[in-house]
Every structure is written in structure tokens, then in C-alpha cells.
Amino acid sequence: MNNKEKLRKAGLRPTKQRMIIADILLDGINRHFTAENLQNEINSSGNSMSIATIYNCLKKFRNCGLIKQVESSKDTAIFDTNINQHHHFLDEETGELIDIENDEVNLRKLPKIPQGYLNNGVEVLIKIKKQI
Amino acid sequence: MNNKEKLRKAGLRPTKQRMIIADILLDGINRHFTAENLQNEINSSGNSMSIATIYNCLKKFRNCGLIKQVESSKDTAIFDTNINQHHHFLDEETGELIDIENDEVNLRKLPKIPQGYLNNGVEVLIKIKKQI
DNA sequence: AAGTAGTTTAGAACGATTTTAAAGTAAATA
DNA sequence: TATTTACTTTAAAATCGTTCTAAACTACTT
């Protein structure tokens, strides 16, 4: 399926701007990035785009499940093109994230989900620190 | 041990402002809060404090291990008085966090920590969604 | 009591993100 | 095809959480 079809299937109009972003993000390669990272990539591909559009687009892509947003207490939002359930190492000093594939973690026991709620995904974060 | 001693032991001078905050936070009750939440509590206890002082103090308390900062992609930093290793449910729509005690989760298998790094804590986040 | 090192403060500054409102574009309709 | 309508993009301003600045203050040491 090409990117135009992917956007249509997600319920998003394939505008010029969304196609530029889709061409960068939806190539099957897993990556972590910020809005600013993406703007730099767009610029160096010879295009340009308002930062507001980039934020709008990332929010739409995330809400449609085309990308994910990583849970991490950094001051900048970090997005992830790997939409499968998976986990991360986090170096808290640098903010660097490293993927952990789902089958590398085995959760034997999980608590009962609170009454009235549904499980919407489990994320394991292993905080790591550079050895001195 | 009283709060003055706790601060001293952590290497922090027990100033008037730090004592006010310690009296609110270090009562053994687990809670999640933001800097603004804390300022409101301080105000309603008849005291007042610059927001800069509150941020300074929370950062010092966190760095000394008196409180924790929760990993979550909310736009506001969330702190936690529960300093034991534990986990959370997160309602992504409201940002509400619910504690999961450590013994309610059993991690059977964890990946190898990357070369040159040390494990600095494992956090499990179970994202939940209100049933409709 | 005097010195000094650490702390608090208001307000300015900052950086990420969102809002605004006007102009532009894609899709639907006639 | 022309027209209409709803959605999208944009630059710039606004907002929000957080940090910085530098001057006044305070805890501890001598």
C-alpha cells in the first residue's frame, strides 16, 4: 500500500504536506524523533513547512495510529515510527531511547485493570545510566 | 526521624521553605502532584512561596531521592512521594496515575542492558482507557 | 559578631506547543 | 466544469511550564 492509500485508509486527506511527512516517516524504518528533528529533515529534503503544520500532522498521525508518542518525561515530545507494542531503554541523562522488542520482555504477572477501564497497552521502561 | 533530620541527612539545609514543603510531602502518604498542585497546597496552608523556589526545591528533593519524578509524556512534570520501585496505570485521556505496587508485577524476562550501561530502574506503565 | 556559602525571590527570559484568523486546497455537489 | 463546502496550512501571536538572573536574604562556620 502506498502512502496516499495509507493516509486515506486512516481517514486523512492526503495533502501535499502530509505526503511529505508520510514519505519521511512511513518507510518501515523504526526511528525516534521530535517535531524539530522532523522539520530539519523536511528542510534538508528541499521542502519547508510551518512548525504548526508539523505539530498538527504529528498529532493526527498519532491519533490515527500511524505513529506513536513515547512516554517519557523529557521536555520535548518524542515520537516513534515503531507502532508495534514494544519497550525502551532510556538514558535519563541524554534522553536517548533504545528499542526493546516485545519478545525480549516477558511479563508473568500483571495487576487487575481498575473497574470500568480497559487495558490500552503496556510499556516497560528500563532506565539506564552510563557506567563510570 | 523528623523532617529536619531527613533534610539534613539528604544533605539539604532545612530552610523555612524546604520545611514547609517537607511537612506537606514527607508524611508517608503516597501522592502524585505537579509544581502547581503543591503551590496551591502551600497557599491554602496559609503560607506562600515563589514558584521558582518550588521548582528548585522539587528538583533538589528529587535528586536526593526524597521524591521521584514520574516518566509520562504529559506537558507538566508529575512528582511522586512513593520512592519505592513501583509502577503505574495511566489514563492517557485525563493524565490520572494510579500506583501499582511492585509485587503486583512479575517480570520474568528482561533484555540484556546495553554494553557500558547500568540498570537504573524498571518502570511498567499500563495505559488504560475508560470503558464506553 | 563577622564572614561566606547557599537560598529565596520577582520578574524576565526561554523553549515547546497551541491558537488565531486569514488564505489556500481537496473533495463534494450542482 | 463551476461552485460550494469543509478541511488544511500558515505566520505570527499567545500560552504554558520551567529556568535564569541578579539582588536581597539566611543558615551555618569561624
Side-chain angles (χ1 to χ4, degrees), chain A residues 5-55:
Chain A
E5 288 168 339
K6 281 185 197 163
L7 292 179
R8 281 240 158 76
K9 198 178 154 208
L12 298 177
R13 282 190 185 175
T15 64
K16 181 166 154 269
Q17 288 81 355
R18 287 176 185 161
M19 285 301 293
I20 291 169
I21 292 181
D23 287 345
I24 292 172
L25 298 182
L26 307 182
D27 62 357
I29 294 171
N30 294 339
R31 63 177 96 185
H32 304 120
F33 62 96
T34 65
E36 201 193 350
N37 294 157
L38 181 57
Q39 189 171 46
N40 291 337
E41 273 204 75
I42 291 166
N43 290 340
S44 59
S45 78
N47 294 291
S48 80
M49 205 176 296
S50 161
I51 191 71
T53 303
I54 292 172
Y55 276 105

Side-chain angles (χ1 to χ4, degrees), chain A residues 6-132:
Chain A
K6 281 185 197 163
L7 292 179
R8 281 240 158 76
K9 198 178 154 208
L12 298 177
R13 282 190 185 175
T15 64
K16 181 166 154 269
Q17 288 81 355
R18 287 176 185 161
M19 285 301 293
I20 291 169
I21 292 181
D23 287 345
I24 292 172
L25 298 182
L26 307 182
D27 62 357
I29 294 171
N30 294 339
R31 63 177 96 185
H32 304 120
F33 62 96
T34 65
E36 201 193 350
N37 294 157
L38 181 57
Q39 189 171 46
N40 291 337
E41 273 204 75
I42 291 166
N43 290 340
S44 59
S45 78
N47 294 291
S48 80
M49 205 176 296
S50 161
I51 191 71
T53 303
I54 292 172
Y55 276 105
N56 284 341
C57 187
L58 288 175
K59 224 193 271 188
K60 292 261 184 191
F61 276 33
R62 181 198 61 200
N63 293 343
C64 295
L66 292 170
I67 61 174
K68 274 184 151 188
Q69 185 170 356
V70 180
E71 297 291 339
S72 122
S73 65
K74 286 225 62 189
D75 45 1
T76 310
I78 298 172
F79 296 89
D80 192 338
T81 55
N82 183 351
I83 55 175
N84 302 315
Q85 168 157 318
H86 66 287
H87 310 288
H88 293 105
F89 289 113
L90 168 66
D91 180 338
E92 291 184 294
E93 269 149 41
T94 64
E96 193 198 3
L97 285 166
I98 302 169
D99 273 4
I100 301 172
E101 288 313 314
N102 202 38
D103 62 9
E104 294 195 74
V105 169
N106 192 329
L107 285 152
R108 184 209 295 260
K109 182 183 170 188
L110 281 182
K112 211 163 121 300
I113 305 297
Q115 186 63 31
Y117 286 91
L118 294 169
N119 183 329
N120 199 31
V122 177
E123 287 188 21
V124 175
L125 189 73
I126 304 181
K127 292 178 282 183
I128 57 178
K129 204 183 206 164
K130 267 216 178 65
Q131 231 164 7
I132 18 158

Side-chain angles (χ1 to χ4, degrees), chain B:
Chain B
M1 185 166 29
N2 65 30
N3 288 335
K4 197 170 221 166
E5 289 168 340
K6 281 184 197 165
L7 292 178
R8 280 240 159 75
K9 199 179 154 207
L12 298 176
R13 282 193 186 173
T15 64
K16 181 166 155 269
Q17 289 78 355
R18 286 175 185 163
M19 285 300 293
I20 291 170
I21 291 181
D23 287 344
I24 292 173
L25 297 181
L26 308 182
D27 61 358
I29 294 172
N30 293 339
R31 63 176 97 186
H32 305 118
F33 61 96
T34 64
E36 201 195 350
N37 294 157
L38 181 56
Q39 190 171 44
N40 291 337
E41 273 203 76
I42 291 166
N43 290 339
S44 59
S45 78
N47 294 292
S48 81
M49 206 176 293
S50 160
I51 191 70
T53 304
I54 292 172
Y55 277 105
N56 284 341
C57 187
L58 288 175
K59 225 193 273 188
K60 292 262 185 192
F61 276 33
R62 182 197 60 199
N63 293 344
C64 295
L66 293 171
I67 61 174
K68 274 184 150 188
Q69 184 170 355
V70 179
E71 297 292 339
S72 119
S73 65
K74 285 226 64 189
D75 43 2
T76 309
I78 297 173
F79 296 89
D80 192 338
T81 54
N82 182 352
I83 55 176
N84 301 316
Q85 168 157 318
H86 66 288
H87 311 289
H88 292 105
F89 290 112
L90 168 65
D91 180 338
E92 290 184 294
E93 269 149 41
T94 65
E96 192 199 4
L97 286 166
I98 302 169
D99 273 6
I100 302 171
E101 289 311 316
N102 202 37
D103 62 8
E104 295 195 73
V105 170
N106 193 329
L107 285 152
R108 184 208 295 259
K109 182 184 170 188
L110 280 182
K112 210 162 122 301
I113 304 297
Q115 185 63 31
Y117 287 90
L118 294 170
N119 183 330
N120 200 31
V122 177
E123 287 188 22
V124 176
L125 188 73
I126 304 181
K127 291 178 282 183
I128 57 177
K129 204 183 208 166
K130 267 215 179 67
Q131 233 163 6
I132 17 155

